[in-house]
């Protein structure tokens, strides 16, 4: 039985210049433009150039990691990459998994600003809690996103 999964990273994997090689990919730049319009500042510029924006600050880091993850996901899909059976994310990466499984829109996830604020996050889909806690990992079956497999540890 062959199954595939995408695992999205959490905070701490950001660096200046990340995704620079993908600058020519319209789908990547469009994703960053969408995030920038929502946030009110140029997210691409923040990670590609020296700027006054400190990308190590949590409220900056989280939209950066989310946007990079979604940009790569969209590029994968645009290039005909096979749809994985599962998407998963560690900590903040869970939001990328939720966006990619169409549980939460990208713009809504970006608007959260600091979704890990105070280490507590509750997302309700119907009556089912997808995530809650300081450290967590969620695994979502992509064809049944409203019935996630939930793995959590504190």
């Amino acid at each position: 039985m062959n199954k595939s999964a995408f695992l999205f990273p959490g905070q701490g994997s950001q660096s200046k210049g990340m995704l620079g090689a993908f600058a020519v990919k319209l789908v990547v730049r469009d994703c960053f433009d969408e995030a920038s319009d929502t946030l009110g500042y140029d997210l691409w510029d923040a990670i590609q150039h020296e700027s006054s924006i400190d990308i190590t600050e949590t409220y900056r880091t989280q939209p950066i990691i989310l946007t990079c993850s979604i940009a790569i996901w969209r590029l994968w899909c645009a290039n005909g990459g096979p749809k994985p059976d599962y998407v998963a994310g560690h900590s903040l990466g869970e939001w990328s998994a939720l966006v990619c499984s169409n549980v939460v829109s990208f713009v809504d996830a970006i608007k959260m600003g600091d979704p890990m604020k105070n280490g507590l996050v509750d997302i309700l889909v119907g009556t089912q809690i997808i995530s809650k806690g300081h450290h967590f990992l969620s695994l979502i079956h992509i064809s049944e996103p409203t019935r996630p497999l939930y793995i959590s540890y504190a």
Side-chain angles (χ1 to χ4, degrees), residues 10-49:
Q11 184 172 332
S13 56
Q14 75 280 356
S15 65
K16 283 286 187 184
M18 63 192 295
L19 268 58
F22 296 98
V24 297
K25 302 293 184 182
L26 186 59
V27 69
V28 170
R29 293 305 298 266
D30 285 348
C31 189
F32 274 84
D33 289 346
E34 185 179 358
S36 296
D37 290 346
T38 302
L39 293 168
Y41 62 91
D42 189 339
L43 199 60
W44 183 259
D45 186 63
I47 64 168
Q48 296 305 315
H49 307 105

Side-chain angles (χ1 to χ4, degrees), residues 37-136:
D37 290 346
T38 302
L39 293 168
Y41 62 91
D42 189 339
L43 199 60
W44 183 259
D45 186 63
I47 64 168
Q48 296 305 315
H49 307 105
E50 291 302 319
S51 73
S52 61
I53 295 174
D54 182 358
I55 67 168
T56 64
E57 293 289 334
T58 297
Y59 74 101
R60 300 283 194 199
T61 300
Q62 292 183 348
I64 288 168
I65 297 302
L66 176 65
T67 303
C68 287
S69 294
I70 301 307
I72 293 299
W73 170 259
R74 289 178 177 177
L75 182 61
W76 173 265
C77 293
N79 286 312
K83 186 175 169 182
D85 298 292
Y86 300 94
V87 288
H90 172 257
S91 192
L92 173 69
E94 180 181 25
W95 286 91
S96 299
L98 291 169
V99 170
C100 293
S101 59
N102 297 313
V103 172
V104 177
S105 76
F106 176 54
V107 169
D108 285 344
I110 288 291
K111 285 180 183 177
M112 291 295 294
D114 182 358
M116 302 300 163
K117 187 175 183 179
N118 300 319
L120 296 172
V121 177
D122 291 334
I123 294 293
L124 300 177
V125 177
T127 59
Q128 198 167 19
I129 294 178
I130 293 174
S131 65
K132 181 178 181 176
H134 181 66
H135 299 287
F136 49 85

